[in-house]
Amino acid sequence: MTVIKRCLLASLLFVVTSLAANARELVIAFENSLQPSTSLDAMARSQMLMRNLAMADIPQAMFLIKPRALDSKDRSRLRLYSDRGHLLVNAGYDHSLVTKGDLYAYEVGILKANRLLLPYPGYKKHLHFSYLHEQGDNRIQRGLIDFVKKRGYRPAFTTFNEWRGVDAYLDQLYQARIKRNRPVDMAKLERTYVDLLVKGLTEQDALAFNLLGYSPPQTLVLQENDLAAYFVVALIDELTAQGWQMTSAQRLVDAPIANPLFASSWGANSVWPVVTGLPDSRVAYPRLLGERKAYVDNFIQGRIPGLLEH
């Protein structure tokens, strides 16, 4: 039996088993990884995150890595993630708005990131490159797709969630309070963090279930920050109580049926076009809260009003 046939059979079993059990499967992913020290030392944050992921019985998380300017502490953190069995994913080197019109710069960045990640066993040449998932220059995107396919990169993906990045805003407010030596009610902040993140995932799952009659596998992308290290156990406890089953990142992204990028040759942003036939949402994941800020501020004001004080 060929490798492709074995992969397809494994993927069919993956999907059929999920449907039979009516499971709601979820992979936890982290973006903006290797952030510098804030109120927590960067290494202490990574160590706490590893302990708490193990405590929450996460089989394998996904870490989207832009390995720009790695220092010895960053390399130790990557080794820690890899040694604990988590999946390291190439997210480019350090691309920004400056390189939006430069295919060559993107290609060089992917190659540089690949070279820096190769020493870690947790890196399997999976790639999650945001510009492939955004509105942009079709010529550049097609060129990138040809480039990564020819060089044997393996597609990783994250499902769209309109509340992605809200946890970065909460952490920003928290860090500002700590910096000014102002008190923070951590129990209320934990509840707010959990409720906001679960809200977006619940809405996305409800949409999928209404369209399909079942829940396809999902990813929940968190910022790798202090609040994630503190609150990930409470978050997973809540998700588990609501019926989510944590699954491994490798199992999800390597399943040709579950992974929309296999079917679309890297050109999809989410699972929706593959499982529903609906158009993809080809938008950049919001870097800023934008018009969501009013809702989030209202939500925070009702829970921990002091957090918004300047």
Side-chain angles (χ1 to χ4, degrees):
M1 185 181 295
T2 66
V3 172
I4 293 176
K5 285 183 178 177
R6 283 199 298 269
C7 287
L8 287 172
L9 284 173
S11 300
L12 283 169
L13 181 61
F14 173 84
V15 174
V16 169
T17 302
S18 298
L19 295 183
N22 196 28
R24 296 199 296 168
E25 295 194 277
L26 181 67
V27 166
I28 301 297
F30 292 92
E31 66 180 349
N32 293 322
S33 300
L34 303 181
Q35 291 189 49
S37 300
T38 49
S39 63
L40 278 175
D41 172 76
M43 189 64 186
R45 181 198 305 132
S46 292
Q47 291 168 336
M48 182 185 298
L49 188 58
M50 291 300 98
R51 287 195 301 271
N52 285 342
L53 286 175
M55 186 181 301
D57 292 325
I58 300 298
Q60 183 191 49
M62 182 193 307
F63 285 82
L64 308 181
I65 308 291
K66 293 179 184 177
R68 55 192 177 275
L70 293 180
D71 59 22
S72 60
K73 183 180 287 187
D74 294 331
R75 288 190 287 272
S76 295
R77 295 165 71 191
L78 283 175
R79 194 174 307 113
L80 176 65
Y81 300 162
S82 179
D83 290 348
R84 295 295 177 89
H86 298 294
L87 183 66
L88 306 183
V89 173
N90 182 340
Y93 181 74
D94 189 19
H95 64 282
S96 65
L97 292 173
V98 176
T99 58
K100 285 293 183 187
D102 191 339
L103 174 60
Y104 177 72
Y106 283 141
E107 293 172 345
V108 169
I110 289 170
L111 291 174
K112 287 170 70 175
N114 180 71
R115 177 177 57 81
L116 291 168
L117 290 172
L118 276 175
Y120 302 95
Y123 176 59
K124 312 290 185 185
K125 286 195 75 173
H126 285 93
L127 178 71
H128 183 283
F129 198 71
S130 60
Y131 191 63
L132 290 174
H133 312 149
E134 301 172 359
Q135 290 179 349
D137 187 316
N138 288 334
R139 179 187 58 83
I140 292 176
Q141 288 171 330
R142 287 194 302 272
L144 270 175
I145 289 170
D146 289 342
F147 174 81
V148 298
K149 288 172 68 175
K150 287 176 182 176
R151 284 158 182 79
Y153 288 97
R154 304 166 71 182
F157 74 100
T158 58
T159 45
F160 181 77
N161 184 329
E162 67 176 23
W163 294 103
R164 182 167 170 177
V166 166
D167 49 339
Y169 179 56
L170 285 176
D171 189 75
Q172 174 190 329
L173 295 173
Y174 167 74
Q175 299 296 341
R177 294 283 293 178
I178 295 298
K179 190 173 183 178
R180 296 195 303 270
N181 293 316
R182 304 292 295 277
V184 178
D185 188 324
M186 294 301 285
K188 289 182 179 178
L189 181 56
E190 178 183 80
R191 192 67 252 168
T192 302
Y193 177 95
V194 169
D195 287 350
L196 277 171
L197 291 172
V198 170
K199 171 183 168 59
L201 185 63
T202 302
E203 291 172 350
Q204 191 76 358
D205 179 64
L207 172 61
F209 191 87
N210 287 336
L211 287 169
L212 305 172
Y214 72 95
S215 297
Q218 300 267 18
T219 60
L220 178 60
V221 182
L222 308 176
Q223 309 298 306
E224 188 196 307
N225 56 30
D226 292 6
L227 296 191
Y230 289 139
F231 300 152
V232 72
V233 174
L235 175 63
I236 300 306
D237 284 348
E238 179 64 26
L239 291 168
T240 303
Q242 293 194 16
W244 290 96
Q245 176 184 330
M246 303 302 133
T247 193
S248 80
Q250 187 92 54
R251 180 170 177 250
L252 179 63
V253 300
D254 281 352
I257 293 177
N259 186 339
L261 302 189
F262 276 104
S264 66
S265 300
W266 292 83
N269 177 29
S270 72
V271 73
W272 304 121
V274 177
V275 299
T276 68
L278 295 176
D280 203 0
S281 177
R282 296 194 62 78
V283 295
Y285 289 122
R287 272 62 170 178
L288 302 171
L289 281 182
E291 54 191 36
R292 301 176 301 165
K293 186 175 184 298
Y295 176 88
V296 176
D297 282 349
N298 244 0
F299 194 94
I300 294 170
Q301 188 67 24
R303 301 292 190 90
I304 35 175
L307 197 65
L308 293 171
E309 292 176 1
H310 298 291

